[in-house]
């Protein structure tokens, strides 16, 4: 009997258990279950909270740390149990039931103003967020699923960096409502309402604890978010966000997980902490427990932040120091390298240039002396370059000839020569003080000769109170030029051919001494420094006939040019005229043939000249202008003639430069009056140029 009673009661119990199960499974409408939990700190809650990534519950103080200050970190912390938020009580079309949550958090930036990125309070279908990215994805979503309706996530974001809408609002420090999409649907800068119409703003990442209330009313679908610093005594009446969020219906699934996600950025980072958290859902007017601050763990101590910050700072300092050292070392190496290279270069120069030839100028000095090669300082433009006036503090007025060329090869030998010339010097040569090579410029520094060129003295308005150049000065000038040329041809260790003897290349100093300029520069042409091919150098009217044929300058061709210049000085006449039918030597020869050679003397002199000297000079001039180079006297002989140490040979009418003999050479006349003004010379640098421009 006892057994049957036992069996009956057992069966009854079984039935009750079974029937209750059937009831449960077949009527899901009634399955809404109120949920409620409260964490006053998280100590011992490891099993209740599923923390992943950078998130962890700190053993010592019980704080839930969502991320630390490492860069590019993500972390999630969800309540481990799923929450049912669908309310089926009234129909098959469910509602999202009411819920309420409250938490206190602290954000400590890695350095003030450089915090990032933020965290979210999230409803998620999973208790973690696999594949979520850092920075603006806040550990919640990633670039591929952001905005996808299949995410089924709702997030209230606490963002300290305006990371998502790029450039829209870089200030950050806002909260936002996100529905499957981290581009917030609703966004509010961080304030609390002190009264209904008085706002106070505050910072998310100030390091002070901040309290949040999230309240959702299922029937009205209104979500209220209130956020304020815990230092306020009571909750502000007016929520920061109060909005109908019908989107939740599309998001909330049968089971949802509630929790937090957080992320730091590549450059910005913060440590995100939750001090306490309460939650309640469904049922009658669910209300999350109030979190009493004194029951929560202490906020993360500022000491920690300082220490961490200090560690961080010292790392940065170490990095900066290391980089500085590396930089300094590199700079020193570079400097040494440059100096070494320069030393090498200098050594190269020193061999030939510096030791033997101390007349090198510093470019900077010349640059400043000529007022940066200012145009107003130009005193002449010759065939070889532009001449500038300058003033050196060390040596007074100078003339700087600037020779520009694409290539200055061979210039070294040239300078070597110039150096020697400058060292030896001659009173009838313009003193070459030195030189300077700068990039493609060769700069030659000469004494500044105040009276300008002979050319200008002969043809310009008479200087010195309207008095023309008197005879004895002319004769001295002629002898001076001869003396200078002799020096170049015979008295110096090497034969230097001037190649461009002409009035404009003779400068006259204060004491009316002639000084020959531009000597030796033709070498630059010969060496191919100034041009690629060998070219004929000279000025029409002064060019010996053989020059136009073979282009080879010789002492004899210099003598020819000297002869022309001599006649020019005596007669006060240009060597040729513009129509090309006048040649000074022929003209003088005619007077000679007629026995009245003195009629050739410059009319401006009147009778104030020494007839014997004039006759002598004209005869020497004619001698020098002989067609055949071999028949011309040397400069030494010329000087002896002029000094009366040797008798001048007789010149008969068959002397070699009649028109016919010139025709034989295929040259009608050297028919070109240089259009040069004073110091401008027409230096033709190619034979073909001469023939095409002046013989047709
Ligand atoms: C951030 O971390 C993820 C993996 O954790 C990595 O794939 C990504 O390259 C990192 N980004 C940066 C900028 O370091
Ligand atoms: C259910 O719906 C009816 C009418 O549709 C409404 O009167 C009632 O308040 C609802 N009940 C709840 C619990 O929402
Ligand atoms: C996310 O939201 C933003 C702003 O509302 C919108 O422009 C964007 O298209 C959304 N993304 C997706 C994938 O729907
Ligand atoms: C949204 O996600 C689902 C599931 O991952 C995927 O099949 C779908 O292609 C995604 N839609 C878009 C627009 O990316
Ligand atoms: C939301 O805020 C409004 C206005 O402040 C208030 O009337 C309403 O009761 C609040 N709702 C909830 C669910 O707290």
């Amino acid at each position: 009997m006892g057994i049957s009673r036992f069996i009956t009661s057992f069966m009854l119990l079984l039935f009750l258990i079974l029937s209750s199960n059937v009831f449960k499974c077949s009527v899901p409408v009634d399955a809404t279950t109120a949920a409620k939990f409260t964490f006053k700190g998280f100590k011992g809650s490891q099993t209740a909270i599923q923390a992943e990534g950078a998130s962890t519950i700190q053993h010592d103080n019980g704080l839930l740390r969502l991320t630390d200050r490492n860069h590019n970190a993500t972390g999630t912390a969800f309540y481990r149990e799923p929450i049912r938020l669908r309310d089926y009580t009234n129909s098959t079309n469910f509602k999202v039931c009411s819920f309420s949550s409250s938490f206190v958090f602290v954000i400590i930036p890695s350095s003030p103003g450089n915090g990032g990125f933020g965290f979210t309070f999230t409803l998620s279908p999973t208790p973690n967020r696999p594949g979520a990215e850092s920075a603006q994805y806040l550990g919640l979503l990633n670039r591929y699923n952001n905005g996808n309706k299949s995410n089924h996530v709702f997030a209230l974001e606490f963002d300290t960096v305006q990371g998502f809408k790029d450039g829209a609002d870089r200030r950050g420090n806002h909260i936002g409502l996100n529905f499957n999409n981290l581009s917030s649907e609703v966004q509010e800068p961080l304030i609390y309402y002190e009264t209904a119409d008085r706002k106070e703003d505050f910072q998310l990442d100030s390091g002070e604890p901040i309290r949040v209330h999230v309240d959702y009313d299922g029937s009205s679908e209104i979500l209220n978010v209130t956020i304020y610093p815990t230092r306020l005594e009571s909750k502000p009446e007016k929520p920061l966000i109060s909005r109908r969020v019908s989107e939740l219906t599309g998001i909330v699934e049968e089971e949802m997980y509630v929790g937090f996600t957080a992320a730091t950025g590549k450059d910005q980072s913060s440590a995100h902490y939750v001090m306490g958290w309460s939650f309640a859902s469904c049922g009658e007017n669910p209300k999350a427990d109030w979190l009493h601050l004194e029951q929560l763990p202490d906020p993360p101590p500022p000491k920690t932040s300082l220490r961490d910050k200090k560690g961080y700072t010292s790392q940065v300092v170490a990095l900066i120091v290391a980089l500085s050292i590396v930089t300094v070392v590199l700079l020193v190496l570079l400097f040494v390298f440059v100096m070494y290279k320069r030393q090498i270069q200098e050594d190269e120069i020193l061999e030939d240039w510096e030791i033997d030839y101390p007349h090198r100028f510093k470019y900077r000095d010349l640059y400043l002396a000529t007022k940066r090669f200012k145009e107003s300082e130009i005193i002449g433009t010759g065939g070889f370059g532009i001449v500038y006036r300058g003033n050196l503090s060390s040596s007074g007025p100078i003339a700087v000839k600037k020779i520009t060329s694409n290539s200055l090869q061979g210039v070294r030998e040239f300078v070597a020569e110039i150096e020697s010339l400058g060292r030896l010097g001659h009173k009838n040569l313009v003193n070459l003080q030195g030189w300077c090579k700068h990039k493609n410029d060769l700069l030659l520094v000469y004494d500044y000769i105040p009276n300008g060129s002979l050319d200008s003295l002969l043809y310009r308005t008479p200087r010195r109170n309207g008095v023309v150049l008197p005879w004895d000065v002319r004769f001295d000038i002629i002898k001076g030029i001869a003396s200078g040329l002799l020096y170049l041809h015979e008295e110096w260790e090497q034969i230097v051919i001037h190649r461009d003897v002409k009035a404009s290349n003779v400068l006259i100093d204060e004491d009316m001494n002639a000084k020959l300029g531009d000597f030796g520069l033709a070498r630059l042409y010969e060496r191919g420094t100034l041009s690629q091919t060998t070219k004929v150098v000279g000025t029409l009217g002064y060019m010996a006939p053989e020059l136009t044929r073979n282009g080879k300058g010789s002492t004899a061709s210099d003598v020819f040019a000297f002869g022309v210049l001599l006649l020019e000085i005596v007669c006060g006449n240009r060597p040729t005229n513009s129509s090309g039918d006048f040649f000074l030597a022929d003209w003088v020869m005619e007077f000679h043939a007629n026995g009245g050679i003195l009629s050739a003397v410059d009319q401006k002199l009147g009778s104030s000249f020494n007839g014997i000297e004039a006759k002598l000079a004209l005869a020497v001039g004619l001698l020098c202008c002989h067609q055949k180079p071999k028949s011309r006297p040397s400069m030494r002989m010329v000087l002896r003639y002029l000094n009366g140490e040797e008798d001048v040979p007789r010149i008969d009418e068959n002397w070699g430069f009649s028109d016919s003999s010139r025709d034989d050479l295929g040259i009608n006349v050297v028919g070109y009056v240089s259009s040069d003004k004073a110091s401008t010379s027409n230096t033709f640098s190619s034979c073909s140029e001469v023939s095409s421009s002046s013989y047709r």
Side-chain angles (χ1 to χ4, degrees), residues 5-25:
R5 271 183 67 192
F6 172 76
I7 287 172
T8 318
S9 49
F10 177 80
M11 293 297 284
L12 189 66
L13 193 63
L14 196 65
F15 171 74
L16 279 174
I17 289 170
L18 281 175
S19 63
S20 74
N21 270 351
V22 167
F23 179 75
K24 248 187 186 168
C25 293

Side-chain angles (χ1 to χ4, degrees), residues 319-344:
L319 191 70
I320 287 172
V321 167
L323 282 179
S324 304
I325 289 172
V326 166
T327 307
V328 165
V329 165
L330 282 180
L331 280 178
V332 165
L333 282 178
L334 188 72
F335 180 74
V336 166
F337 178 72
V338 166
M339 290 313 283
Y340 176 71
K341 250 192 114 175
R342 184 179 275 188
Q343 192 65 40
I344 288 176

Side-chain angles (χ1 to χ4, degrees), residues 316-532:
V316 168
V317 167
L319 191 70
I320 287 172
V321 167
L323 282 179
S324 304
I325 289 172
V326 166
T327 307
V328 165
V329 165
L330 282 180
L331 280 178
V332 165
L333 282 178
L334 188 72
F335 180 74
V336 166
F337 178 72
V338 166
M339 290 313 283
Y340 176 71
K341 250 192 114 175
R342 184 179 275 188
Q343 192 65 40
I344 288 176
Q345 276 169 359
E346 217 121 284
D347 282 347
E348 269 175 26
I349 295 165
L350 275 174
E351 277 176 45
D352 291 59
W353 303 59
E354 204 72 67
I355 297 172
D356 291 345
Y357 315 122
H359 296 91
R360 193 163 63 112
F361 277 80
K362 282 186 184 148
Y363 179 75
R364 192 182 155 69
D365 293 345
L366 298 182
Y367 184 69
L368 294 178
T370 56
K371 300 181 180 165
R372 300 157 193 267
F373 296 104
K374 206 170 158 189
E375 230 164 82
S376 64
E377 300 303 296
I378 294 178
I379 50 174
T381 36
F384 292 105
I386 300 168
V387 186
Y388 296 84
R389 187 200 350 255
N391 214 325
L392 272 182
S393 50
S394 54
S395 56
I398 51 168
V400 180
K401 177 165 283 229
K402 186 178 180 188
I403 301 167
T404 303
S405 169
N406 289 336
S407 73
L408 282 177
Q409 48 180 325
V411 82
R412 192 159 126 181
E413 291 80 2
F414 171 79
V415 166
E417 202 170 278
I418 290 296
E419 276 278 357
S420 310
L421 285 171
R423 193 172 66 231
L424 294 175
H426 189 274
K427 71 177 170 59
N428 292 113
L429 296 178
V430 176
N431 182 40
L432 180 58
Q433 293 190 9
W435 53 274
C436 166
K437 187 175 165 297
H438 178 76
K439 293 183 180 163
N440 280 338
D441 292 337
L442 177 63
L443 303 166
L444 297 176
V445 182
Y446 294 99
D447 286 353
Y448 178 72
I449 310 293
N451 274 343
S453 72
L454 174 61
D455 186 83
S456 66
L457 288 181
L458 275 179
Y459 302 114
R460 286 263 174 98
T461 328
R463 300 168 72 126
R464 306 215 165 181
N465 309 326
V467 178
V468 295
L469 213 51
W471 172 256
D472 51 342
V473 172
R474 296 193 193 206
F475 198 58
D476 281 346
I477 288 173
I478 290 168
K479 285 202 274 192
I481 298 167
S483 168
L485 264 180
L486 171 62
Y487 176 81
L488 291 177
H489 285 180
E490 297 182 24
E491 293 177 354
W492 189 57
E493 57 208 44
Q494 262 179 288
I495 296 171
V496 177
I497 296 161
H498 190 294
R499 304 199 76 169
D500 204 15
V501 176
K502 60 179 173 181
S504 59
N505 269 344
V506 176
L507 300 176
I508 307 297
D509 72 7
E510 295 132 315
D511 304 323
M512 301 309 280
N513 293 314
K515 285 176 182 287
L516 202 47
D518 265 5
F519 47 86
L521 292 190
R523 293 258 172 170
L524 288 172
Y525 278 97
E526 281 168 11
R527 293 213 168 86
T529 297
L530 294 183
S531 59
Q532 301 304 326

